[in-house]
């Protein structure tokens, strides 16, 4: 499934959300168009690098928790450029036989897919080049069907992704992805919101749009709509950095460190995990 960089059109002249995210995480797989967009976004939300790290840390917390609850299958859409820890590393640390399918539409992620396919000997990791907005294509892909057993629970991971699909159609897309998953499956999500700092987040939305990337921040009601038919796990739909499962102290890899004496800025998004009955 992986491709050599030389055989992939990387579309370097167009900013892409995955490469912008990579830039905020300190990665090197981004281009001038991505960096120019990132600089505009950082002017609107100076704490954006911390927001990116918070998203990553939530993924670690949520995946570790679900793995400890017995989930062994993960469908991660909007994977992004490999940045450790990757989802399969977290899942397979708890259960070496975990099975993970990554999905992304950025050609540079395809070019780096080999890095996503290195897992434990007992587990399986695969990559599919596809787009969130075509759920039928994702669900019918032979790699998805061969890797994931849809008679057993699957955790659907949509981290910092759904706000890139404006309008109501995103709800139908997520419902379509959840529909074939059996009872005991999960939806894992973070989503940009204007609830905590409207001016900051609206500036972020405008900066993305100015770079040719559609985006829509949603309020609590809009985010909760994704979970309307699911049982939302404690602590509920909360600020990304406030989502911790249970009362146990967080694992060191699950914490986003702040500089000494620094105050945490207002949250930029919600996080939640919901269980399908």
């Amino acid at each position: 499934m992986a491709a050599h960089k030389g055989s992939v059109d990387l579309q370097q002249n167009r900013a892409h959300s995955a490469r912008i995210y990579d830039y905020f995480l300190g990665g090197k797989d981004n281009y001038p168009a991505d960096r120019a967009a990132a600089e505009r976004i950082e002017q609107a939300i100076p704490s954006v690098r911390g927001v990116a790290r918070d998203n990553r840390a939530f993924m670690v917390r949520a995946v570790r928790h679900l793995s400890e609850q017995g989930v062994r299958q993960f469908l991660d859409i909007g994977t992004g450029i490999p940045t450790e820890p990757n989802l399969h590393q977290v899942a397979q640390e708890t259960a070496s036989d975990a099975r993970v399918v990554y999905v992304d539409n950025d050609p540079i992620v395809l070019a780096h897919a080999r890095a996503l396919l290195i897992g434990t000997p007992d587990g399986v990791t695969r990559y599919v080049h596809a787009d969130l907005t075509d759920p039928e294509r994702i669900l019918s892909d032979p790699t998805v069907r061969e890797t994931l057993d849809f008679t057993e629970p699957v955790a659907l991971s949509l981290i910092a992704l759904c706000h890139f699909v404006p309008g109501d159609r995103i709800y139908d897309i997520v419902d379509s992805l959840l529909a074939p998953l059996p009872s005991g499956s999960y939806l894992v999500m973070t989503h940009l919101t204007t609830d905590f700092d409207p001016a900051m987040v609206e500036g972020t939305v405008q900066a993305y749009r100015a770079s040719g990337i559609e985006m829509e921040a949603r309020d609590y009601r809009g985010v909760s709509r994704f979970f309307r038919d699911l049982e939302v796990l404690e602590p509920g739909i909360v600020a990304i950095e406030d989502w911790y499962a249970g009362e146990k102290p967080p694992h060191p890899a699950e914490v986003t460190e702040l500089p000494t004496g620094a105050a945490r800025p207002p949250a930029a998004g919600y996080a939640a995990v919901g269980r399908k009955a």
Side-chain angles (χ1 to χ4, degrees):
M1 294 301 298
H4 188 274
K5 287 186 182 182
S7 64
V8 179
D9 177 7
L10 300 181
Q11 301 176 10
Q12 299 177 25
N13 61 333
R14 297 175 56 189
H16 193 286
S17 58
R19 298 194 293 263
I20 294 171
Y21 190 61
D22 172 73
Y23 175 82
F24 289 143
L25 288 172
K28 304 299 183 184
D29 292 298
N30 45 75
Y31 299 101
D34 307 303
R35 292 190 284 273
E39 289 170 3
R40 287 193 291 270
I41 294 161
E42 201 158 13
Q43 289 176 359
I45 175 171
S47 60
V48 67
R49 294 173 189 261
V51 172
R53 292 192 296 270
D54 283 339
N55 271 283
R56 201 75 181 183
F58 163 75
M59 180 277 290
V60 172
R61 295 195 295 273
V63 170
R64 180 171 287 115
H65 175 67
L66 294 183
S67 296
E68 290 172 349
Q69 300 305 305
V71 177
R72 297 293 178 265
Q73 302 188 109
F74 296 84
L75 177 58
D76 181 51
I77 304 178
T79 298
I81 296 162
T83 302
E84 294 190 354
N86 293 301
L87 188 151
H88 74 276
Q89 294 170 316
V90 178
Q92 292 174 358
E93 178 184 353
T94 301
S96 62
D97 61 343
R99 307 172 72 84
V100 177
V101 176
Y102 291 115
V103 180
D104 205 290
N105 70 346
D106 182 2
I108 200 171
V109 180
L110 173 63
H112 282 275
R114 293 187 191 279
L116 289 171
L117 303 181
I118 301 173
T120 60
D122 298 333
V124 178
T125 55
R126 296 289 185 266
Y127 177 81
V128 172
H129 189 69
D131 195 286
L132 169 68
T133 59
D134 191 356
E136 291 77 16
R137 156 79 177 83
I138 294 172
L139 293 170
S140 64
D141 188 277
T143 297
V144 174
R145 288 294 178 173
E146 291 166 6
T147 305
L148 303 178
D149 178 359
F150 279 31
T151 67
E152 297 292 333
V154 176
L156 171 63
S157 173
L158 301 172
I159 304 296
L161 182 64
C162 291
H163 46 240
F164 291 113
V165 183
D168 285 350
R169 68 177 179 137
I170 186 59
Y171 298 106
D172 292 334
I173 291 169
V174 175
D175 287 347
S176 296
L177 290 167
L178 286 170
L181 306 187
S183 174
S185 294
Y186 292 86
L187 172 62
V188 180
M189 176 183 287
T190 64
H191 196 294
L192 195 69
T193 186
T194 54
D195 283 356
F196 302 109
D197 192 331
M200 175 185 72
V201 173
E202 184 57 33
T204 302
V205 171
Q206 295 305 321
Y208 270 99
R209 289 177 178 171
S211 301
I213 300 172
E214 286 298 315
M215 174 178 274
E216 180 180 341
R218 294 180 171 90
D219 60 13
Y220 181 90
R221 182 178 179 181
V223 175
S224 65
R225 184 176 169 185
F226 290 107
F227 295 88
R228 63 194 181 282
D229 296 324
L230 305 176
E231 174 193 356
V232 179
L233 274 59
E234 293 294 337
I237 301 172
V238 297
I240 295 170
E241 56 267 34
D242 291 339
W243 195 98
Y244 288 94
E247 299 299 326
K248 64 182 181 180
H251 186 283
E254 300 170 359
V255 178
T256 299
E257 297 290 345
L258 292 174
T260 301
R264 181 173 289 280
Y270 284 116
V273 178
R275 184 180 186 275
K276 187 175 180 178

